[in-house]
Amino acid sequence: MEYIEVTGGQVLSGCIRPAAAKNSVLPLLAATLLCGKPCTLLAVPRLRDVDTSLALLKAVGADAKREGENILTRPTASVTGTVPPELAGAMRGSVFYLAPLLTRAGRAELALPGGCRLGPRPIDIHLAGLTAMGAQAELRQDRVILRCHGVLRGTEFALRLPSVGATLTLMMAACCAAGTTVLRGAACEPEIADTAAFLNACGARIAGAGTSTLRIRGTGGDLLGGCCHTVLPDRIAASTYAAATAIAGGRVTVEGCPPRYLAAFLDFLGAAGCSVVRGSGRFTVSRCPARPLKGGQDLVASAYPGLATDAAPLAAAVLLGADGPSRIYDGLFQNRFACAAGFAALGAGAQAEGRLLRLAGGAELHGGTVTAPDLRGGAALVLAGLGAKGTVRVADAGHIRRGYAHLAQDLAGLGAQCRSLTEDASEE
Ligand code: EPU
């Protein structure tokens, strides 16, 4: 068991640079299967989901390894279309392998990512789009099997909702298909534009990534080339450092991350009473610890450029001690606020009713042991600890390592009293 322990009361200061975005790295690693030449992804953080992706790539016959901070991939003559179930089940990101395996092996067999802690996570849009491109999909109770005789063919496809994963799947499938694919109603998240930039640098012809309409001219079956790519910064990690400053008070500059990637979150912090100064590729958040944050916030998490669903629990942590009640509604996931139980155990008025989280505000949090229910909910509990009188221990912190390589060390570097521990309570 891993824990993160945080003792509140320290004001934060300094500069921090977020690592490369997990939600870009995962599709990028899958996309390297489409490449017939070596690829390098620079400065990839040591996250659990990245390790799972490297194991998955190896299991299907690809050649991908770490070299220092970077990941290098080399093309292999053939790959197998079957993903071992234990790897498919270990992360939602395994769904990114459907299109590359179908392209490379003519077959993709994947244990269903299924419902997870955030609520049901169907893959019907991925399958409908791939079927429209000529694949046959067989849905069994526990897995999906896709087959394709010959090359996938370009098509016009409208997504029934702007799914990030399905947009990535269909964009990747279209790169080596025959003819042109037009995707309408696509997700616009920056991680999609980043994956498209990588694929285009490898020779793909994707236009419109980052907007709701993508046009992709396929290679007709040829693999792409290779490239060296610097991954986009992690806007959710950047939001986490900003939220930490709002809760603890102080002044922190986040570098290497354009503020437009988290504009809605920074707007929220401004409305809650923080000072936010936006620069080019950096921003500074400050708050006087003596002045309470402003409650009365009514937030809705939605697709980009709205408030990110992954940042909704972080916003909740900010509002726990604000001077009035607030509400946050998550339009994407049914069970985004499983962290409410942990907030309440620390003394906050926090109640999740399905997609809605009600916060009473005015909480004086005390110490205690709580459990990370999921990645972002776990990070939010650590953040809540920054504002507690006493020591908060967040158990099951392995969830947090799926998305933050060193959250405790990052916060400690800004002046927080925070450390990570393993089961026998020895410091890592
Ligand atoms: N959906 C469907 N059918 C589909 C696909 C999605 O109904 O075929 C629904 C989902 O059930 C959900 C909504 O559409 O209710 C949005 O899902 P989306 O496909 O956009 O999300 P995702 O691709 O599964 C990625 C990130 C999530 C992030 C969401 C939204 C990765 C590995 N995951 O998930 O990140 O919350 O986009 O931005 O990229 C995290 O990092 O902690 C995380 C959960």
Side-chain angles (χ1 to χ4, degrees):
M1 174 77 84
E2 298 170 45
Y3 296 87
I4 290 183
E5 201 175 79
V6 55
T7 304
Q10 312 297 317
V11 167
L12 305 189
S13 66
C15 288
I16 188 157
R17 184 175 282 270
K22 166 181 84 78
N23 289 349
S24 261
V25 171
L26 302 186
L28 286 170
L29 285 170
T32 61
L33 284 171
L34 300 173
C35 298
K37 293 203 170 138
C39 296
T40 304
L41 300 180
L42 296 171
V44 175
R46 291 175 188 274
L47 305 173
R48 279 221 331 229
D49 281 6
V50 172
D51 293 341
T52 305
S53 300
L54 290 174
L56 197 160
L57 281 166
K58 197 169 167 206
V60 297
D63 179 357
K65 59 172 192 238
R66 275 201 174 271
E67 216 170 84
E69 291 304 298
N70 306 332
I71 289 180
L72 267 55
T73 67
R74 277 176 228 290
T76 49
S78 67
V79 297
T80 150
T82 306
V83 176
E86 66 281 8
L87 293 174
M91 60 168 187
R92 170 76 181 179
S94 57
V95 78
F96 298 135
Y97 288 81
L98 285 177
L101 290 178
L102 197 54
T103 301
R104 286 298 307 275
R107 187 174 180 282
E109 180 170 343
L110 190 76
L112 280 173
C116 79
R117 290 165 193 249
L118 299 179
R121 294 178 78 173
I123 57 167
D124 59 298
I125 307 172
H126 303 245
L127 300 185
L130 291 171
T131 305
M133 296 179 77
Q136 292 93 50
E138 187 189 333
L139 204 51
R140 299 207 183 148
Q141 201 176 8
D142 59 341
R143 67 198 136 124
V144 59
I145 304 170
L146 284 158
R147 291 188 187 83
C148 171
H149 301 295
V151 177
L152 289 168
R153 54 172 192 269
T155 190
E156 292 225 3
F157 184 78
L159 284 78
R160 76 172 168 81
L161 56 86
S163 155
V164 174
T167 301
L168 288 162
T169 287
L170 301 177
M171 185 173 86
M172 287 193 272
C175 285
C176 301
T180 297
T181 299
V182 180
L183 301 177
R184 300 190 200 282
C188 304
E189 270 67 1
E191 291 76 16
I192 292 166
D194 191 41
T195 306
F198 165 84
L199 289 164
N200 281 345
C202 293
R205 287 168 295 179
I206 303 166
T211 75
S212 60
T213 304
L214 279 77
R215 181 176 290 272
I216 305 135
R217 277 201 286 152
T219 61
D222 293 338
L223 289 180
L224 305 174
C227 77
C228 177
H229 184 73
T230 301
V231 185
L232 172 96
D234 193 322
R235 63 196 163 100
I236 308 301
S239 304
T240 307
Y241 308 136
T245 314
I247 293 166
R251 180 186 168 85
V252 166
T253 297
V254 177
E255 292 182 327
C257 182
R260 69 174 186 280
Y261 290 152
L262 57 152
F265 194 78
L266 294 178
D267 288 348
F268 150 67
L269 291 181
C274 297
S275 154
V276 179
V277 178
R278 301 167 202 230
S280 153
R282 67 199 324 248
F283 60 88
T284 300
V285 175
S286 47
R287 180 175 85 83
C288 167
R291 292 229 328 250
L293 287 155
K294 291 183 203 154
Q297 312 278 337
D298 211 349
L299 304 177
V300 177
S302 58
Y304 189 83
L307 180 75
T309 170
D310 294 333
L314 313 176
V318 171
L319 290 167
L320 297 176
D323 66 4
S326 296
R327 306 190 318 167
I328 311 180
Y329 179 82
D330 192 298
L332 277 85
F333 294 114
Q334 282 176 20
N335 191 28
R336 175 50 93 183
F337 299 115
C339 52
F343 290 152
L346 298 175
Q351 206 181 346
E353 295 164 14
R355 293 168 180 266
L356 182 69
L357 178 68
R358 290 182 195 278
L359 300 166
E364 294 233 338
L365 299 186
H366 50 72
T369 297
V370 290
T371 301
D374 51 58
L375 162 55
R376 307 300 173 187
L381 290 171
V382 173
L383 294 184
L386 294 170
K389 287 201 170 74
T391 297
V392 171
R393 232 180 188 225
V394 181
D396 249 355
H399 283 302
I400 300 173
R401 278 255 288 270
R402 289 190 34 238
Y404 303 83
H406 311 289
L407 180 60
Q409 290 89 328
D410 290 348
L411 296 174
L414 296 172
Q417 202 176 327
C418 188
R419 58 184 184 153
S420 55
L421 305 155
T422 50
E423 171 117 67
D424 60 359
S426 60
E427 199 162 347
E428 279 192 342

